[in-house]
Amino acid sequence: MIDVNQKSRPPSWPGRLRKAVDPYVAALLGTVVLAALLPATGRAAVAVGGAADLAIGLLFFLYGARLSTREALDGLRRWKLHLVVGAGTFALFPLLGVAAGGLVPYLLTDQLHIGLLFLCVVPSTVQSSIALTSTARGNVPAAICAGTYSSLAGMVATPLLSAWLIGATATFSAERLLAIAVQLLLPFLAGQVLRRWIGGFVGRHKRGLALLDRGSILLVVYTAFSLGVAEGIWQQITPARLAGLLGVVAGLLGLALTATAYAARRLGFDREDRITIVFCGSNKSLATGLPMAAVLFGASAGPVILPLMLYHQLQLMVCAVLAARWARQAPRPAESAPAAGAGTVSRPPARSTAV
């Protein structure tokens, strides 16, 4: 017999470690290490690069297949929310990136500041924002639309802002804008067109397709860092510079989270919308940023993507903690009233802490 009063054993340290470390973050770190030890070079680099391009195209095809026309139209009604997210992504971040120029040459090199500026003009993420918003019990449909609209807007806004803020290093032309549209926008539109026939399949296999999403990003990360290793990225950046960059990126994330939370509260959004604004307005997309960097910066993209890589991993770790905390603080649905004469004392509703 099982003794229900028997105390369960505390989890072992490997179990605690598995709970503390997000598997996706660990996979990203492992991919960087793999690229440092076994980078793809020569013909292998060409093959891996082509596979990464196909993976990103498939990723945006699935984004298009997931977003229903009804969700897109419903999302347009929450235009204030999307305006706040867009202002954070394409106005607040670039201002912070320009201000970080004062840290050169103390904490950042010129090349790392270019990478930081590029990070600041990359659109919001789709997959992570949805997952985090869902965990925190926020407005998931709004997160789907906010992430998608940001990615679509970024196909034009990111190259334009890069050319304006970074200058000649980020080459902007109609040809490069077309290359971004072919790689990102065209697959998304194809997914929208074919959603009528494949939408049900996509909805039934969310977990498997989520693994495909993350696998695609890991492949792109491996390709980008293999290129960086071939260019001697680690010889160009000392451990002290890397530590300084990590501190700057952490400060950037803290400012973004604080600013979006404050703006959402001051503008009177409800709790679910505030969660959506915080995650969508502070997160940056690795899936969109890496192929854009390859198009805009060409062979010199290696050091440029380092700030985006660090920021993406940090946002996953910090926002996962926030999402779990806000989930615990979410107001619980009112329990049904007890039967007459049950003698149960009613309890006041649990107090929740606002985002």
Side-chain angles (χ1 to χ4, degrees):
M1 294 179 64
I2 299 175
D3 184 3
V4 295
N5 294 321
Q6 184 180 1
K7 293 183 179 180
S8 60
R9 294 181 180 179
S12 60
W13 71 265
R16 292 195 297 267
L17 183 62
R18 283 193 297 269
K19 290 183 178 180
V21 179
D22 185 275
Y24 183 44
V25 175
L28 282 169
L29 294 174
T31 302
V32 173
V33 173
L34 178 63
L37 298 176
L38 296 171
T41 57
R43 293 183 178 179
V46 175
V48 171
D53 290 342
L54 290 175
I56 290 298
L58 178 60
L59 189 65
F60 275 82
F61 174 80
L62 293 175
Y63 286 163
R66 287 193 188 105
L67 183 66
S68 69
T69 305
R70 187 172 188 176
E71 283 178 334
L73 294 176
D74 288 344
L76 289 175
R77 297 171 186 168
R78 310 187 80 87
W79 60 271
K80 292 183 180 179
L81 182 148
H82 302 306
L83 188 62
V84 175
V85 171
T89 303
F90 298 117
L92 173 64
F93 267 97
L95 289 175
L96 293 174
V98 171
L103 301 175
V104 179
Y106 309 104
L107 291 177
L108 301 173
T109 63
D110 289 330
Q111 191 74 6
L112 289 178
H113 184 234
I114 289 174
L116 192 73
L117 284 172
F118 178 71
L119 154 67
C120 290
V121 300
V122 168
S124 179
T125 182
V126 179
Q127 185 69 25
S128 298
S129 295
I130 296 170
L132 292 166
T133 302
S134 176
T135 299
R137 301 182 187 178
N139 189 336
V140 176
I144 294 172
C145 293
T148 303
Y149 295 158
S150 181
S151 295
L152 294 176
M155 293 178 196
V156 176
T158 297
L160 287 175
L161 288 171
S162 296
W164 181 32
L165 297 177
I166 299 174
T169 307
T171 306
F172 175 78
S173 65
E175 182 180 355
R176 298 201 173 197
L177 186 61
L178 180 61
I180 292 173
V182 168
Q183 188 174 7
L184 305 179
L185 180 59
L186 196 59
F188 177 86
L189 294 177
Q192 280 279 284
V193 171
L194 296 177
R195 175 181 163 76
R196 178 178 178 182
W197 294 278
I198 66 173
F201 175 84
V202 171
R204 290 191 302 270
H205 297 83
K206 289 182 179 179
R207 179 170 296 183
L209 293 176
L211 294 176
L212 180 62
D213 286 355
R214 294 188 169 190
S216 301
I217 294 174
L218 292 177
L219 181 59
V220 175
V221 169
Y222 176 74
T223 304
F225 265 80
S226 292
L227 179 61
V229 171
E231 295 176 0
I233 181 175
W234 302 117
Q235 286 73 28
Q236 300 172 27
I237 301 172
T238 64
R241 289 293 188 188
L242 188 60
L245 174 62
L246 183 59
V248 173
V249 167
L252 182 65
L253 177 60
L255 288 172
L257 290 169
T258 303
T260 50
Y262 177 79
R265 179 184 292 276
R266 291 287 295 177
L267 293 172
F269 288 95
D270 60 27
R271 180 186 183 277
E272 291 186 350
D273 283 354
R274 290 200 300 270
I275 290 172
T276 303
I277 289 171
V278 169
F279 287 139
C280 294
S282 64
N283 280 208
K284 291 292 185 176
S285 175
L286 199 63
T288 306
L290 292 183
M292 284 187 175
V295 172
L296 295 174
F297 298 95
S300 61
V304 173
I305 65 170
L306 185 58
L308 177 60
M309 277 286 306
L310 292 177
Y311 187 91
H312 186 267
Q313 295 181 31
L314 196 60
Q315 82 185 10
L316 287 175
M317 293 185 286
V318 173
C319 292
V321 173
L322 288 176
R325 178 185 175 188
W326 290 340
R328 291 192 299 269
Q329 296 171 347
R332 300 179 182 277
E335 296 181 359
S336 57
T344 304
V345 179
S346 62
R347 296 181 180 178
R351 184 178 179 183
S352 64
T353 304
V355 177

